[in-house]
């Protein structure tokens, strides 16, 4: 019934399908900073492992912008809430031709309550960064998979 309306599963064929093979052919370049380390690890986990000894077909270059801003000033001029924003600009590069196949952005943000305990606030900031890194990596992989699916359906 789905085939009649033109819908096709993105990951048809499971791990041996065209999109899954394309994702495993991506090498993720190093990304600067703690947020970069978190995003890169999440990307590598989601993209899967290429076959040992094979040369990757694509390289994923990512640049991050991680901001932590205070707002919601309280009556004593202290910050009551923070907003952490993680934005990524990424490019998927075909290693055979050095052509940029995909140039896009992804981002996510989180609100953090600032409490009287500095430790609790710092822990909340770190947890927010970890969650944002996973979310941004997921958005990147989804967009790359859509692009690779478009290349294989032609």
């Amino acid at each position: 019934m789905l085939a009649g309306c033109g819908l096709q599963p993105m990951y048809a064929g499971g791990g041996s399908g065209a999109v899954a093979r394309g994702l495993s052919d991506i090498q993720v370049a190093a990304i600067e900073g703690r947020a970069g380390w978190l995003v890169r690890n999440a990307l590598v986990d989601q993209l899967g492992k290429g076959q040992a000894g094979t040369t990757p077909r694509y390289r994923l270059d990512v640049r991050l912008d991680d901001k932590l801003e205070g707002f919601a000033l309280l009556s004593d001029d202290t910050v009551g809430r923070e907003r952490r924003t993680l934005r990524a600009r990424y490019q998927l590069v075909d290693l055979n031709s050095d052509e940029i196949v995909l140039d896009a952005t992804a981002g996510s943000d989180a609100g953090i309550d600032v409490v009287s305990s500095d430790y609790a606030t710092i822990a909340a900031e770190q947890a927010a960064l970890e969650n944002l890194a996973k979310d941004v990596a997921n958005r990147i992989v989804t967009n790359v998979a859509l692009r690779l699916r478009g290349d294989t359906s032609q």
Side-chain angles (χ1 to χ4, degrees), residues 81-109:
R81 193 143 170 85
E82 292 177 333
R83 178 180 176 181
R84 182 157 222 158
T85 306
L86 186 62
R87 301 279 180 255
R89 167 125 191 248
Y90 58 96
Q91 295 179 327
L92 185 65
V93 180
D94 187 327
L95 294 174
N96 295 328
S97 64
D98 278 339
E99 175 187 351
I100 296 173
V101 177
L102 177 65
D103 187 353
T105 60
S108 191
D109 58 30

Side-chain angles (χ1 to χ4, degrees), residues 63-91:
R63 283 181 282 139
L64 295 177
D65 183 24
D66 178 23
K67 289 184 182 176
L68 184 62
E69 301 172 297
F71 65 97
L73 290 177
L74 302 175
S75 61
D76 60 354
D77 286 335
T78 60
V79 173
R81 193 143 170 85
E82 292 177 333
R83 178 180 176 181
R84 182 157 222 158
T85 306
L86 186 62
R87 301 279 180 255
R89 167 125 191 248
Y90 58 96
Q91 295 179 327

Side-chain angles (χ1 to χ4, degrees), residues 8-10 17-23 25-26 57-59 91-97 99-103 142-154:
Q8 298 175 346
M10 185 178 338
V19 172
R21 283 193 321 269
L23 290 175
D25 281 345
I26 297 173
R57 180 173 176 198
Y58 301 102
R59 182 184 70 240
Q91 295 179 327
L92 185 65
V93 180
D94 187 327
L95 294 174
N96 295 328
S97 64
E99 175 187 351
I100 296 173
V101 177
L102 177 65
D103 187 353
T142 299
N143 201 13
V144 168
L146 287 170
R147 176 66 174 132
L148 293 177
R149 186 176 129 213
D151 284 348
T152 61
S153 65
Q154 297 173 357

